[in-house]
Amino acid sequence: MKIEYNNLYTHFILTTYKRVAIISEKNRERIEKYITGIVSHQHSKLYAIYANPEHVHFLVSRSPHISEEELLEIVSSSTERFINSNKLVAGKFAWQQSASAFSVSKSDVDRVCKYILNQPEHHKKTTFEEEYQKFIEHYQTGINNQ
């Protein structure tokens, strides 16, 4: 069946292998633009992205023809090749073998975009470990209380 309209917002978090802070500020925008292009090529729309030294947040309105896992696999494998072939980091670059995908309601898109774009300020007060634990607690609350 053809889907005429979709509202599939997903907040992805990709983490560098062993959470090493390897993405430099000088290459951050280049990596963000590359990921934006990949998402667009998959008939999806990227709303916000920020590449921190050890993790990347991005919010996508995903095509219904691709799952979160499929989109993330394409983004991760393509960016690994891109970063390594352009020598954007010292040594070999890789992502962790697992990532996170959180559904976002239409009413929360603006709030999540602001959160993603405010990553530099956010991480002056909160480490990635603390941030990630808060995400897990927030999104697991409904599951754990059933």
Side-chain angles (χ1 to χ4, degrees):
M1 176 177 290
K2 182 178 179 181
I3 296 174
E4 293 281 333
Y5 176 78
N6 71 77
N7 190 5
L8 305 168
Y9 298 98
T10 307
H11 177 182
F12 291 101
I13 304 173
L14 269 172
T15 309
T16 60
Y17 184 65
K18 294 187 178 181
R19 296 184 176 174
V20 174
I22 196 169
I23 298 172
S24 68
E25 180 60 28
K26 79 175 193 173
N27 292 316
R28 179 181 60 79
E29 282 188 36
R30 191 169 175 195
I31 293 166
E32 291 171 353
K33 286 178 183 178
Y34 189 78
I35 292 172
T36 301
I38 294 167
V39 169
S40 177
H41 189 71
Q42 297 304 313
H43 309 288
S44 299
K45 180 179 178 184
L46 193 138
Y47 283 83
I49 185 169
Y50 197 88
N52 292 285
E54 74 286 329
H55 69 288
V56 175
H57 289 265
F58 57 105
L59 177 64
V60 171
S61 174
R62 180 176 53 77
S63 164
H65 304 292
I66 190 167
S67 71
E68 287 97 348
E69 193 170 289
E70 290 168 321
L71 181 58
L72 206 49
E73 178 58 37
I74 292 167
V75 168
S76 65
S77 62
S78 296
T79 55
E80 281 181 3
R81 283 191 304 275
F82 174 76
I83 291 168
N84 286 319
S85 66
N86 288 283
K87 298 181 180 3
L88 300 182
V89 300
K92 184 173 165 86
F93 179 82
W95 296 110
Q96 292 276 69
Q97 290 301 304
S98 63
S100 298
F102 302 102
S103 62
V104 175
S105 68
K106 173 83 170 154
S107 62
D108 283 335
V109 167
D110 286 342
R111 182 184 59 77
V112 174
C113 284
K114 287 175 186 169
Y115 176 81
I116 290 171
L117 297 174
N118 195 40
Q119 285 290 291
E121 287 302 311
H122 174 72
H123 284 296
K124 286 180 182 176
K125 302 173 197 162
T126 306
T127 67
F128 173 61
E129 298 293 332
E130 293 166 336
E131 172 188 52
Y132 193 74
Q133 191 58 43
K134 286 179 185 176
F135 269 104
I136 298 302
E137 289 170 7
H138 174 76
Y139 284 100
Q140 295 300 322
T141 301
I143 294 170
N144 293 337
N145 292 333
Q146 291 181 359

